[in-house]
């Protein structure tokens, strides 16, 4: 009875999926406050309890994908472990199809980091070492995984 009433109340506001995504984004974003991993994990678990009551999970996914993209591209995430923990929670709750694009975003970031390191190694191993210092950071992104417009 209480669960059904809470679900009704939560879904009265059409912006509930956006607000939940913003809350999770705030917790997973680097900020001035230091939070212990256990505290963050507890907060994410509680957020997932609220997520279970959302009816518009596809809207939540759209906002979460935008927020995740911003965190990954701007290196604003608290930690990869926390991000992957949240992804695992979403995968457990909604299945592989729900998180496949989000996982692809992580693969793209890992590939980009590896490629950047290999390029730096290549530059340092060149026989013709020039005095030009080159600082380059490239992100290789797969079109279908990333949102087309990041707000």
């Amino acid at each position: 009875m209480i669960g059904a009433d809470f679900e009704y109340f939560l879904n009265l506001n059409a912006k509930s999926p956006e607000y939940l995504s913003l809350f999770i984004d705030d917790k997973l974003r680097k900020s001035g406050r230091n939070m212990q991993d256990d505290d963050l994990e507890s907060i994410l678990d509680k957020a997932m309890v609220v997520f279970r009551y959302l009816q518009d999970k596809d809207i939540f996914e759209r906002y979460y994908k935008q927020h995740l993209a911003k965190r990954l591209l701007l290196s604003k995430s608290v930690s990869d472990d926390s991000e992957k923990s949240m992804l695992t929670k979403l995968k457990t709750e909604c299945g592989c199809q729900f998180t496949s694009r989000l996982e692809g975003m992580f693969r793209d970031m890992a590939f980009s980091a590896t490629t950047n390191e290999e390029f730096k190694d290549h530059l340092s191993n060149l026989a013709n070492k020039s005095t030009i210092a080159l600082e380059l950071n490239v992100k290789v992104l797969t079109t279908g995984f990333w949102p087309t417009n990041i707000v």
Side-chain angles (χ1 to χ4, degrees):
M1 180 69 177
I2 292 177
D5 291 341
F6 180 71
E7 181 177 357
Y8 173 77
F9 174 75
L10 181 67
N11 291 293
L12 279 176
N13 188 343
K15 292 200 173 260
S16 291
E18 180 183 2
Y19 293 153
L20 181 60
S21 178
L22 282 168
F23 175 78
I24 293 170
D25 179 59
D26 180 59
K27 298 306 174 193
L28 292 174
R29 186 177 291 276
K30 281 183 188 173
S31 61
R33 54 191 140 73
N34 293 329
M35 190 180 302
Q36 298 293 333
D37 288 341
D38 294 339
D39 294 338
L40 179 59
E41 196 67 27
S42 174
I43 288 171
L44 293 178
D45 286 336
K46 291 174 184 173
M48 287 307 296
V49 170
V50 174
F51 175 78
R52 287 183 190 111
Y53 289 101
L54 279 180
Q55 291 175 349
D56 297 326
K57 290 178 173 55
D58 55 332
I59 295 173
F60 171 85
E61 180 192 16
R62 185 181 70 208
Y63 284 110
Y64 186 79
K65 184 194 290 188
Q66 288 179 346
H67 296 139
L68 176 63
K70 271 180 130 173
R71 287 193 307 271
L72 292 177
L73 292 173
L74 300 175
S75 300
K76 296 288 186 184
S77 183
V78 169
S79 73
D80 282 347
D81 291 338
S82 297
E83 292 286 358
K84 289 181 181 177
S85 171
M86 183 61 195
L87 204 60
T88 302
K89 292 176 192 320
L90 288 169
K91 188 178 205 175
T92 302
E93 192 64 34
C94 299
C96 296
Q97 188 69 26
F98 189 85
T99 59
S100 63
R101 291 182 181 169
L102 303 175
E103 290 169 338
M105 293 166 71
F106 280 101
R107 283 192 301 273
D108 285 350
M109 294 305 291
F111 177 74
S112 296
T114 303
T115 304
N116 282 323
E117 285 302 315
E118 289 173 357
F119 181 71
K120 287 177 187 175
D121 291 344
H122 173 71
L123 286 181
S124 66
N125 293 333
L126 284 176
N128 181 9
K129 296 192 181 207
S130 62
T131 58
I132 298 174
L134 179 64
E135 188 67 34
L136 182 68
N137 189 5
V138 177
K139 305 281 191 225
V140 180
L141 309 179
T142 305
T143 305
F145 296 151
W146 295 82
T148 53
N149 57 346
I150 299 175
V151 181

